[in-house]
Amino acid sequence: MNLLLKRKWFSPMIKIFLFAFFILIVLIVMLLGYRFIVQQQIKQKSAEIIENGGISELKELDVNGDKQYILVEGKDKEKPFCLFLHGGPGSPFPYGVSARTLYPEITENCVAVYYDQRGSGKSFNKKLTNNTLTLSQFTEDANIIVDYIKENYQQEKIFVIGQSFGTIVGTQLVSNYPEKFHAYLGISQVTNISKGQELGYNWLYSEALSNGDKKTLRILDDIGEGPYLAKDEDQFSDLINHYKGMNYFDDTIKKVNLFDLIKGAFTSPDYSLQDLYKAFISGPQFSLIDSQELKKEIILTNFFDSVKSIDIPVYFIQGKYDKQTNYELAKQYFELLDAPNGKEFITLEHSAHYPNTLDAALMNDTFKKMLEPKRPAGTDITPP
Protein backbone atom coordinates (compact mmCIF):
# COMPACT_ATOMS: atom_id res chain seq x y z
CA MET A 1 0.00 0.00 0.00
CA ASN A 2 2.80 2.42 0.91
CA LEU A 3 4.57 1.56 -2.34
CA LEU A 4 1.47 2.41 -4.37
CA LEU A 5 1.13 5.76 -2.57
CA LYS A 6 4.77 6.57 -3.25
CA ARG A 7 4.32 5.79 -6.94
CA LYS A 8 1.25 8.03 -7.13
CA TRP A 9 3.22 10.93 -5.63
CA PHE A 10 6.42 10.16 -7.53
CA SER A 11 4.88 10.39 -10.98
CA PRO A 12 3.43 13.94 -10.54
CA MET A 13 6.72 15.10 -9.00
CA ILE A 14 8.63 13.94 -12.07
CA LYS A 15 6.20 15.79 -14.33
CA ILE A 16 6.57 18.99 -12.27
CA PHE A 17 10.35 18.71 -12.31
CA LEU A 18 10.46 18.11 -16.07
CA PHE A 19 8.10 21.02 -16.70
CA ALA A 20 10.19 23.36 -14.50
CA PHE A 21 13.36 22.18 -16.24
CA PHE A 22 11.77 22.81 -19.65
CA ILE A 23 10.74 26.34 -18.62
CA LEU A 24 14.26 27.00 -17.32
CA ILE A 25 15.79 25.87 -20.62
CA VAL A 26 13.37 28.09 -22.57
CA LEU A 27 14.25 31.10 -20.41
CA ILE A 28 17.99 30.48 -20.83
CA VAL A 29 17.59 30.18 -24.62
CA MET A 30 15.55 33.40 -24.69
CA LEU A 31 18.14 35.27 -22.60
CA LEU A 32 20.98 34.05 -24.76
CA GLY A 33 19.01 34.95 -27.88
CA TYR A 34 18.37 38.45 -26.52
CA ARG A 35 22.03 38.78 -25.59
CA PHE A 36 23.08 37.78 -29.11
CA ILE A 37 20.71 40.25 -30.78
CA VAL A 38 21.84 43.19 -28.61
CA GLN A 39 25.48 42.24 -29.11
CA GLN A 40 24.99 42.47 -32.88
CA GLN A 41 23.37 45.91 -32.45
CA ILE A 42 26.31 47.10 -30.34
CA LYS A 43 28.79 45.78 -32.89
CA GLN A 44 26.90 47.66 -35.62
CA LYS A 45 27.01 50.91 -33.62
CA SER A 46 30.70 50.36 -33.00
CA ALA A 47 31.32 49.81 -36.71
CA GLU A 48 29.44 53.04 -37.52
CA ILE A 49 31.64 54.97 -35.07
CA ILE A 50 34.74 53.66 -36.87
CA GLU A 51 33.31 54.31 -40.35
CA ASN A 52 32.57 57.92 -39.37
CA GLY A 53 36.15 58.60 -38.32
CA GLY A 54 35.95 57.51 -34.70
CA ILE A 55 37.50 54.70 -32.72
CA SER A 56 36.04 51.69 -30.89
CA GLU A 57 38.51 48.95 -30.05
CA LEU A 58 39.37 46.45 -27.33
CA LYS A 59 43.01 46.15 -26.29
CA GLU A 60 44.76 43.42 -24.28
CA LEU A 61 47.83 44.72 -22.46
CA ASP A 62 50.61 43.31 -20.32
CA VAL A 63 50.47 45.45 -17.18
CA ASN A 64 53.13 44.77 -14.58
CA GLY A 65 53.07 41.06 -15.44
CA ASP A 66 49.28 40.87 -15.51
CA LYS A 67 46.97 40.59 -18.53
CA GLN A 68 44.56 43.54 -18.44
CA TYR A 69 42.02 45.07 -20.82
CA ILE A 70 40.94 48.50 -21.98
CA LEU A 71 38.21 49.60 -24.36
CA VAL A 72 39.01 52.77 -26.32
CA GLU A 73 36.00 54.53 -27.80
CA GLY A 74 35.28 57.97 -29.19
CA LYS A 75 33.36 59.48 -32.09
CA ASP A 76 36.25 61.79 -32.95
CA LYS A 77 39.82 60.52 -32.60
CA GLU A 78 41.02 64.12 -32.35
CA LYS A 79 39.16 64.72 -29.10
CA PRO A 80 41.06 64.56 -25.79
CA PHE A 81 41.56 61.15 -24.17
CA CYS A 82 39.95 60.37 -20.79
CA LEU A 83 40.91 57.41 -18.60
CA PHE A 84 38.00 56.13 -16.49
CA LEU A 85 38.74 54.36 -13.19
CA HIS A 86 35.69 52.40 -12.05
CA GLY A 87 34.57 51.70 -8.49
CA GLY A 88 34.88 48.44 -6.59
CA PRO A 89 37.41 47.01 -6.19
CA GLY A 90 36.58 43.86 -8.10
CA SER A 91 33.44 45.24 -9.78
CA PRO A 92 34.13 46.94 -13.15
CA PHE A 93 31.03 49.15 -13.24
CA PRO A 94 29.84 51.38 -14.69
CA TYR A 95 32.93 52.55 -16.60
CA GLY A 96 34.65 49.26 -17.39
CA VAL A 97 35.34 47.40 -20.61
CA SER A 98 31.67 46.38 -20.94
CA ALA A 99 30.74 50.05 -21.62
CA ARG A 100 31.07 49.86 -25.42
CA THR A 101 28.53 52.32 -27.01
CA LEU A 102 26.69 52.76 -23.67
CA TYR A 103 27.66 56.38 -22.97
CA PRO A 104 27.36 58.46 -26.17
CA GLU A 105 27.26 61.63 -24.04
CA ILE A 106 30.83 60.80 -23.03
CA THR A 107 32.19 59.62 -26.37
CA GLU A 108 30.76 62.72 -28.10
CA ASN A 109 33.15 64.87 -26.10
CA CYS A 110 36.27 62.73 -25.67
CA VAL A 111 37.91 59.44 -26.48
CA ALA A 112 36.99 57.32 -23.47
CA VAL A 113 39.40 54.69 -22.19
CA TYR A 114 37.32 52.24 -20.15
CA TYR A 115 39.54 50.02 -18.04
CA ASP A 116 38.91 46.76 -16.16
CA GLN A 117 41.36 47.17 -13.29
CA ARG A 118 43.42 44.43 -11.68
CA GLY A 119 41.15 41.65 -10.38
CA SER A 120 38.04 43.07 -12.06
CA GLY A 121 35.89 41.75 -14.88
CA LYS A 122 37.82 40.79 -17.98
CA SER A 123 41.11 41.56 -16.21
CA PHE A 124 40.49 39.00 -13.46
CA ASN A 125 42.56 35.83 -13.57
CA LYS A 126 43.12 32.96 -11.15
CA LYS A 127 46.88 33.59 -10.96
CA LEU A 128 46.39 36.79 -8.96
CA THR A 129 47.56 36.70 -5.37
CA ASN A 130 46.62 38.86 -2.40
CA ASN A 131 50.05 40.47 -2.23
CA THR A 132 49.54 41.94 -5.72
CA LEU A 133 46.35 43.69 -4.62
CA THR A 134 47.65 46.87 -3.02
CA LEU A 135 46.76 50.50 -3.65
CA SER A 136 50.27 51.23 -4.89
CA GLN A 137 49.93 48.34 -7.36
CA PHE A 138 46.60 49.66 -8.64
CA THR A 139 48.21 53.09 -9.07
CA GLU A 140 51.22 51.75 -10.93
CA ASP A 141 48.94 49.63 -13.13
CA ALA A 142 47.00 52.76 -14.06
CA ASN A 143 50.27 54.56 -14.74
CA ILE A 144 51.22 51.85 -17.26
CA ILE A 145 47.84 52.34 -18.95
CA VAL A 146 48.45 56.10 -19.07
CA ASP A 147 51.85 55.62 -20.69
CA TYR A 148 50.34 53.22 -23.22
CA ILE A 149 47.66 55.77 -24.14
CA LYS A 150 50.20 58.55 -24.51
CA GLU A 151 52.54 56.51 -26.70
CA ASN A 152 50.05 54.52 -28.77
CA TYR A 153 47.63 57.39 -29.43
CA GLN A 154 50.16 60.24 -29.48
CA GLN A 155 48.75 62.11 -26.49
CA GLU A 156 50.92 64.57 -24.58
CA LYS A 157 48.53 64.54 -21.62
CA ILE A 158 45.17 62.96 -20.74
CA PHE A 159 42.25 63.47 -18.34
CA VAL A 160 41.48 61.13 -15.43
CA ILE A 161 37.98 60.41 -14.10
CA GLY A 162 37.61 58.25 -11.00
CA GLN A 163 34.47 57.02 -9.27
CA SER A 164 34.32 55.81 -5.65
CA PHE A 165 37.20 53.31 -5.26
CA GLY A 166 38.54 54.67 -8.55
CA THR A 167 39.06 58.05 -6.87
CA ILE A 168 41.64 56.48 -4.55
CA VAL A 169 43.65 55.27 -7.54
CA GLY A 170 42.99 58.49 -9.45
CA THR A 171 44.03 60.80 -6.63
CA GLN A 172 47.26 58.90 -6.04
CA LEU A 173 47.93 58.79 -9.78
CA VAL A 174 47.59 62.52 -10.47
CA SER A 175 49.44 63.36 -7.25
CA ASN A 176 52.40 61.18 -8.25
CA TYR A 177 52.51 62.09 -11.95
CA PRO A 178 50.83 65.50 -12.48
CA GLU A 179 52.88 66.17 -15.62
CA LYS A 180 50.93 63.45 -17.46
CA PHE A 181 47.47 64.95 -16.99
CA HIS A 182 45.28 67.86 -18.03
CA ALA A 183 42.86 67.57 -15.08
CA TYR A 184 41.31 65.21 -12.55
CA LEU A 185 37.61 64.58 -11.88
CA GLY A 186 36.52 62.62 -8.79
CA ILE A 187 32.94 61.32 -8.59
CA SER A 188 31.98 60.24 -5.03
CA GLN A 189 35.47 61.18 -3.91
CA VAL A 190 37.14 59.14 -1.18
CA THR A 191 39.01 61.30 1.35
CA ASN A 192 39.31 59.65 4.79
CA ILE A 193 37.15 56.55 5.12
CA SER A 194 37.73 55.88 8.81
CA LYS A 195 36.78 59.49 9.65
CA GLY A 196 33.79 59.11 7.35
CA GLN A 197 32.78 56.03 9.33
CA GLU A 198 32.91 58.07 12.52
CA LEU A 199 30.67 60.75 11.02
CA GLY A 200 28.43 58.06 9.57
CA TYR A 201 28.14 56.36 12.95
CA ASN A 202 26.94 59.59 14.59
CA TRP A 203 24.49 60.21 11.76
CA LEU A 204 23.12 56.66 11.92
CA TYR A 205 22.74 56.83 15.69
CA SER A 206 20.78 60.07 15.40
CA GLU A 207 18.57 58.66 12.62
CA ALA A 208 17.93 55.44 14.53
CA LEU A 209 16.98 57.33 17.69
CA SER A 210 14.58 59.53 15.73
CA ASN A 211 12.97 56.47 14.16
CA GLY A 212 12.89 54.37 17.31
CA ASP A 213 14.97 51.79 15.46
CA LYS A 214 16.14 49.59 18.34
CA LYS A 215 17.67 46.98 16.05
CA THR A 216 20.00 49.51 14.41
CA LEU A 217 20.89 51.03 17.79
CA ARG A 218 21.77 47.58 19.10
CA ILE A 219 24.01 46.86 16.10
CA LEU A 220 25.75 50.24 16.46
CA ASP A 221 26.35 49.58 20.15
CA ASP A 222 27.79 46.17 19.32
CA ILE A 223 30.23 47.31 16.62
CA GLY A 224 31.25 50.56 18.35
CA GLU A 225 32.51 53.71 16.62
CA GLY A 226 35.09 52.10 14.32
CA PRO A 227 37.19 52.09 12.28
CA TYR A 228 35.38 49.07 10.85
CA LEU A 229 37.08 46.17 9.12
CA ALA A 230 35.86 42.81 7.83
CA LYS A 231 32.31 41.89 8.95
CA ASP A 232 31.81 45.07 10.99
CA GLU A 233 32.43 47.14 7.87
CA ASP A 234 29.89 45.07 5.94
CA GLN A 235 27.29 45.61 8.67
CA PHE A 236 28.04 49.31 8.80
CA SER A 237 27.71 49.72 5.02
CA ASP A 238 24.40 47.83 5.12
CA LEU A 239 23.10 50.31 7.69
CA ILE A 240 24.31 53.27 5.62
CA ASN A 241 22.48 51.83 2.63
CA HIS A 242 19.35 51.12 4.68
CA TYR A 243 19.17 54.77 5.72
CA LYS A 244 19.62 56.00 2.12
CA GLY A 245 23.22 57.12 2.52
CA MET A 246 24.21 55.26 -0.64
CA ASN A 247 21.09 55.40 -2.80
CA TYR A 248 18.90 58.32 -1.79
CA PHE A 249 15.17 58.55 -2.52
CA ASP A 250 12.12 60.33 -1.17
CA ASP A 251 8.63 61.31 -2.34
CA THR A 252 10.04 63.31 -5.27
CA ILE A 253 13.29 61.43 -5.99
CA LYS A 254 13.32 57.87 -7.28
CA LYS A 255 16.06 55.45 -6.26
CA VAL A 256 18.87 54.87 -8.70
CA ASN A 257 18.20 51.64 -10.56
CA LEU A 258 21.44 49.80 -9.87
CA PHE A 259 20.68 47.31 -12.63
CA ASP A 260 21.16 50.17 -15.11
CA LEU A 261 24.77 50.44 -13.94
CA ILE A 262 25.57 46.80 -14.62
CA LYS A 263 23.21 45.70 -17.40
CA GLY A 264 25.73 46.51 -20.12
CA ALA A 265 27.83 43.58 -18.97
CA PHE A 266 25.06 41.11 -19.88
CA THR A 267 24.97 42.26 -23.49
CA SER A 268 28.57 43.35 -24.02
CA PRO A 269 30.15 41.77 -27.11
CA ASP A 270 33.48 42.06 -25.27
CA TYR A 271 32.35 39.91 -22.34
CA SER A 272 32.15 36.15 -22.62
CA LEU A 273 29.94 34.20 -20.22
CA GLN A 274 33.11 33.44 -18.27
CA ASP A 275 33.86 37.18 -18.09
CA LEU A 276 30.38 37.73 -16.65
CA TYR A 277 31.18 35.25 -13.90
CA LYS A 278 34.43 37.08 -13.23
CA ALA A 279 32.66 40.45 -13.09
CA PHE A 280 29.89 39.40 -10.71
CA ILE A 281 31.37 36.53 -8.69
CA SER A 282 35.13 35.90 -8.89
CA GLY A 283 36.30 39.52 -8.92
CA PRO A 284 34.22 40.82 -5.97
CA GLN A 285 34.90 37.63 -3.98
CA PHE A 286 38.65 37.95 -4.45
CA SER A 287 38.96 41.74 -4.02
CA LEU A 288 36.40 42.39 -1.28
CA ILE A 289 36.33 39.17 0.74
CA ASP A 290 39.56 37.22 0.22
CA SER A 291 41.84 40.27 0.11
CA GLN A 292 41.29 41.63 3.60
CA GLU A 293 44.61 43.50 3.58
CA LEU A 294 43.45 45.51 0.57
CA LYS A 295 40.18 46.25 2.34
CA LYS A 296 42.09 47.43 5.39
CA GLU A 297 44.34 49.63 3.26
CA ILE A 298 41.31 51.22 1.60
CA ILE A 299 39.61 51.93 4.92
CA LEU A 300 42.78 53.49 6.34
CA THR A 301 43.23 55.78 3.33
CA ASN A 302 43.54 59.40 4.50
CA PHE A 303 44.18 61.97 1.78
CA PHE A 304 44.04 64.77 4.35
CA ASP A 305 47.52 63.59 5.35
CA SER A 306 48.88 61.90 2.23
CA VAL A 307 47.74 64.19 -0.63
CA LYS A 308 47.59 67.83 0.41
CA SER A 309 48.14 69.34 -3.02
CA ILE A 310 47.47 68.44 -6.66
CA ASP A 311 49.23 70.43 -9.37
CA ILE A 312 46.51 70.15 -12.03
CA PRO A 313 42.88 71.39 -12.19
CA VAL A 314 40.66 69.36 -9.85
CA TYR A 315 36.90 68.71 -9.95
CA PHE A 316 34.87 66.90 -7.30
CA ILE A 317 31.30 65.73 -7.97
CA GLN A 318 29.62 64.68 -4.73
CA GLY A 319 26.08 63.62 -3.85
CA LYS A 320 24.50 65.81 -1.17
CA TYR A 321 23.22 62.75 0.72
CA ASP A 322 26.36 60.62 0.35
CA LYS A 323 27.34 58.99 3.65
CA GLN A 324 29.52 56.28 2.11
CA THR A 325 32.16 58.69 0.79
CA ASN A 326 30.92 61.35 3.16
CA TYR A 327 29.76 64.57 1.49
CA GLU A 328 30.72 66.89 4.35
CA LEU A 329 34.15 65.30 4.61
CA ALA A 330 34.74 65.54 0.84
CA LYS A 331 33.93 69.23 0.99
CA GLN A 332 36.29 69.77 3.91
CA TYR A 333 39.08 68.04 2.00
CA PHE A 334 38.31 70.07 -1.10
CA GLU A 335 38.54 73.32 0.82
CA LEU A 336 41.91 72.34 2.34
CA LEU A 337 43.34 70.93 -0.90
CA ASP A 338 45.99 73.10 -2.48
CA ALA A 339 45.22 73.15 -6.21
CA PRO A 340 47.09 76.11 -7.74
CA ASN A 341 45.68 75.42 -11.22
CA GLY A 342 42.08 75.66 -10.03
CA LYS A 343 39.40 73.51 -8.43
CA GLU A 344 35.61 73.14 -8.43
CA PHE A 345 33.22 71.34 -6.10
CA ILE A 346 29.94 70.28 -7.69
CA THR A 347 27.02 69.28 -5.47
CA LEU A 348 24.47 66.77 -6.77
CA GLU A 349 21.29 67.85 -5.01
CA HIS A 350 19.35 64.63 -5.73
CA SER A 351 22.05 62.03 -5.12
CA ALA A 352 23.85 60.06 -2.45
CA HIS A 353 26.78 57.78 -3.35
CA TYR A 354 25.19 56.71 -6.64
CA PRO A 355 24.55 59.69 -8.95
CA ASN A 356 20.85 60.09 -9.69
CA THR A 357 19.58 60.57 -13.24
CA LEU A 358 18.08 63.88 -12.07
CA ASP A 359 21.66 65.12 -11.74
CA ALA A 360 22.86 63.71 -15.07
CA ALA A 361 22.68 67.06 -16.90
CA LEU A 362 24.83 68.75 -14.26
CA MET A 363 27.38 65.94 -14.42
CA ASN A 364 27.56 66.13 -18.21
CA ASP A 365 27.92 69.92 -18.14
CA THR A 366 30.78 69.63 -15.65
CA PHE A 367 32.41 66.98 -17.78
CA LYS A 368 32.24 69.20 -20.87
CA LYS A 369 33.58 72.16 -18.92
CA MET A 370 36.54 70.15 -17.70
CA LEU A 371 37.43 69.24 -21.29
CA GLU A 372 37.49 72.88 -22.37
CA PRO A 373 41.05 74.22 -22.73
CA LYS A 374 40.91 76.49 -19.68
CA ARG A 375 41.24 76.26 -15.91
CA PRO A 376 38.07 76.02 -13.83
CA ALA A 377 36.65 79.22 -12.39
CA GLY A 378 35.29 79.51 -8.88
CA THR A 379 35.31 76.98 -6.10
CA ASP A 380 31.77 75.68 -5.75
CA ILE A 381 28.88 75.00 -8.09
CA THR A 382 25.38 73.94 -7.09
CA PRO A 383 22.42 73.61 -9.44
CA PRO A 384 19.76 76.34 -9.36
Side-chain angles (χ1 to χ4, degrees):
M1 188 70 176
N2 288 337
L3 185 60
L4 289 174
L5 286 173
K6 285 181 180 179
R7 287 178 177 175
K8 287 181 179 179
W9 280 103
F10 190 61
S11 181
M13 287 297 292
I14 290 179
K15 291 179 180 178
I16 292 171
F17 173 79
L18 290 175
F19 179 74
F21 182 73
F22 173 76
I23 294 297
L24 178 63
I25 294 298
V26 170
L27 287 174
I28 290 173
V29 171
M30 290 176 64
L31 284 172
L32 291 177
Y34 172 76
R35 170 178 154 89
F36 176 78
I37 291 171
V38 177
Q39 283 178 330
Q40 300 313 303
Q41 293 172 345
I42 292 172
K43 287 180 180 179
Q44 180 59 38
K45 289 179 183 178
S46 181
E48 290 172 2
I49 289 173
I50 296 171
E51 289 171 5
N52 291 320
I55 184 172
S56 184
E57 59 186 21
L58 179 71
K59 293 285 187 178
E60 176 189 307
L61 306 177
D62 187 324
V63 181
N64 291 315
D66 185 44
K67 187 186 295 183
Q68 297 182 9
Y69 292 85
I70 60 173
L71 174 72
V72 183
E73 183 168 86
K75 295 182 180 179
D76 183 349
K77 288 186 284 189
E78 302 305 313
K79 294 284 188 180
F81 276 63
C82 296
L83 173 62
F84 285 82
L85 300 170
H86 60 71
S91 301
F93 309 111
Y95 302 123
V97 164
S98 62
R100 192 188 290 266
T101 74
L102 290 185
Y103 301 106
E105 68 278 6
I106 290 176
T107 53
E108 284 278 358
N109 298 291
C110 75
V111 177
V113 180
Y114 301 119
Y115 168 37
D116 279 8
Q117 299 172 58
R118 179 176 292 262
S120 298
K122 202 170 182 70
S123 295
F124 176 86
N125 68 78
K126 294 180 180 180
K127 295 181 181 179
L128 288 172
T129 58
N130 288 337
N131 61 6
T132 67
L133 250 65
T134 64
L135 294 181
S136 61
Q137 183 69 71
F138 278 98
T139 303
E140 289 311 306
D141 284 357
N143 187 43
I144 295 292
I145 299 295
V146 170
D147 287 344
Y148 174 82
I149 297 167
K150 290 178 62 183
E151 181 178 352
N152 197 63
Y153 299 101
Q154 292 80 54
Q155 298 295 306
E156 182 182 352
K157 296 182 179 182
I158 69 170
F159 293 86
V160 173
I161 298 93
Q163 183 169 31
S164 192
F165 169 74
T167 67
I168 299 180
V169 181
T171 300
Q172 293 183 156
L173 185 65
V174 299
S175 174
N176 293 348
Y177 309 101
E179 71 280 0
K180 297 182 180 182
F181 306 104
H182 291 295
Y184 167 70
L185 170 62
I187 305 169
S188 302
Q189 175 70 38
V190 172
T191 55
N192 181 344
I193 292 183
S194 59
K195 180 63 176 179
Q197 289 178 342
E198 179 185 327
L199 296 176
Y201 179 93
N202 294 333
W203 171 73
L204 280 170
Y205 215 96
S206 176
E207 290 291 309
L209 280 174
S210 297
N211 287 277
D213 185 351
K214 295 181 180 179
K215 180 180 178 181
T216 294
L217 290 171
R218 185 171 63 253
I219 293 173
L220 291 173
D221 286 335
D222 287 343
I223 65 175
E225 296 187 12
Y228 307 114
L229 305 171
K231 292 182 180 179
D232 286 347
E233 195 278 331
D234 293 336
Q235 278 191 302
F236 181 76
S237 292
D238 287 343
L239 293 178
I240 290 288
N241 188 44
H242 176 71
Y243 273 93
K244 310 176 189 178
M246 294 183 73
N247 192 353
Y248 183 78
F249 64 96
D250 58 26
D251 292 339
T252 61
I253 300 172
K254 292 183 179 180
K255 290 178 71 171
V256 175
N257 184 349
L258 299 183
F259 181 71
D260 288 341
L261 301 179
I262 64 174
K263 65 182 180 182
F266 290 101
T267 53
S268 170
D270 303 297
Y271 265 28
S272 66
L273 294 179
Q274 184 180 22
D275 291 333
L276 285 176
Y277 187 83
K278 293 177 183 178
F280 290 102
I281 306 296
S282 302
Q285 169 74 30
F286 179 61
S287 298
L288 293 173
I289 299 175
D290 297 341
S291 303
Q292 287 299 308
E293 286 303 309
L294 173 62
K295 193 171 187 177
K296 181 179 179 180
E297 192 178 5
I298 292 169
I299 290 168
L300 296 180
T301 294
N302 181 1
F303 286 139
F304 283 86
D305 290 339
S306 62
V307 180
K308 297 182 179 181
S309 66
I310 297 178
D311 293 330
I312 59 173
V314 174
Y315 298 79
F316 285 176
I317 295 179
Q318 207 79 10
K320 179 179 177 181
Y321 303 101
D322 190 349
K323 302 298 182 181
Q324 182 71 7
T325 52
N326 191 278
Y327 172 83
E328 290 80 8
L329 202 58
K331 196 157 190 179
Q332 287 177 30
Y333 175 68
F334 169 83
E335 291 167 354
L336 292 172
L337 180 67
D338 179 22
N341 292 297
K343 58 182 179 178
E344 287 194 13
F345 189 99
I346 297 88
T347 297
L348 303 182
E349 294 285 347
H350 308 92
S351 304
H353 190 64
Y354 303 118
N356 196 287
T357 53
L358 294 174
D359 292 315
L362 179 60
M363 288 187 65
N364 291 335
D365 289 346
T366 303
F367 185 68
K368 291 177 184 178
K369 182 187 295 184
M370 180 187 72
L371 295 173
E372 293 173 358
K374 60 183 180 180
R375 61 177 275 171
T379 59
D380 185 49
I381 296 177
T382 53

